[in-house]
Amino acid sequence: WRRARGGIARTYQTTQLFGSMTVAENLAIAGGSEALLSFVGYRGDLDARAADLPHVDKRLVEIARALATRPAVLLLDEPAAGLSKQDKKSLAMLLRRIADSGIAVVLVEHDMDVVMGISDTVVVLDAGVVIAAGAPADVQRDPAVRKAYLGEHALEPSGARAAPDGRPYLVVGKLAAGYGAEPVLKGVDLEVREREMVAVLGANGAGKSTLMRALSGLLRPVQG
């Protein structure tokens, strides 16, 4: 509360709205008005429960609630995680508008398109140590940054590997799964054969955990 009184507001990588309350009630807690929802681009129902909102709308409502405290500094922890490409573009434009309004915005984010597209200054950390800071274009060219994030040499494919001859243990076809109105996974095909190791890679929010939950039976697929 001392940080909040000092003018710092924040959002979280996993949204921290009050799920049993409506959108309007979540905003009222911070003293916000409906005009803030319009500013952030929320077009949904004010009386909808926060827990029932699509992922992107939860993001917008949480940003509106943070702005309702009239902060001098807005800190956002990975707001682009789990958003579609178009939603990321809209979010980037929103964050730029917030900064242009006079609020200092600190963005902690892994999505480089978002970071490099809207930031005035970029600070790069490697194991907690600052290795570069400055304008986005300068940071992108920094050898220390390229080494830390890309390795000594650019990764090159070593050639396609023939699939193992063993029988398939796991086969997934056209899998779609998620938690709200919009599936997180869409049309996933996957096959794992005997004596084969398969890795699933993706940015935060891409759906790796959702895939594992669906495969293990903890989440019912929408289709597939």
Side-chain angles (χ1 to χ4, degrees), residues 23-68:
V23 170
E25 289 168 341
N26 268 278
L27 201 63
I29 288 175
S33 66
E34 294 181 15
L36 278 174
L37 291 172
S38 178
F39 174 76
V40 300
Y42 177 75
R43 302 290 184 265
D45 185 0
L46 295 178
D47 295 323
R49 283 197 332 149
D52 298 330
L53 295 177
H55 179 64
V56 61
D57 284 345
K58 290 179 181 179
R59 290 278 193 228
L60 296 178
V61 173
E62 189 170 42
I63 292 174
R65 188 178 64 177
L67 292 174

Side-chain angles (χ1 to χ4, degrees), residues 121-126 129-135 138-140 142-146:
T121 301
V122 176
V123 178
V124 183
L125 302 178
D126 182 22
V129 177
V130 175
I131 60 173
D138 295 334
V139 167
Q140 282 181 300
D142 191 297
V145 174
R146 298 179 67 86

Side-chain angles (χ1 to χ4, degrees), residues 7-41:
I8 300 176
R10 68 162 298 181
T11 66
Y12 298 80
Q13 180 178 350
T14 303
T15 54
Q16 299 293 313
L17 296 173
F18 294 101
S20 62
M21 293 184 176
T22 67
V23 170
E25 289 168 341
N26 268 278
L27 201 63
I29 288 175
S33 66
E34 294 181 15
L36 278 174
L37 291 172
S38 178
F39 174 76
V40 300

Side-chain angles (χ1 to χ4, degrees), residues 172-178 183-190 211 221-224:
V172 178
K174 302 294 186 290
L175 176 68
V184 176
L185 302 175
K186 300 177 183 178
V188 175
D189 295 315
L190 175 68
L211 174 62
V222 176
Q223 66 183 35

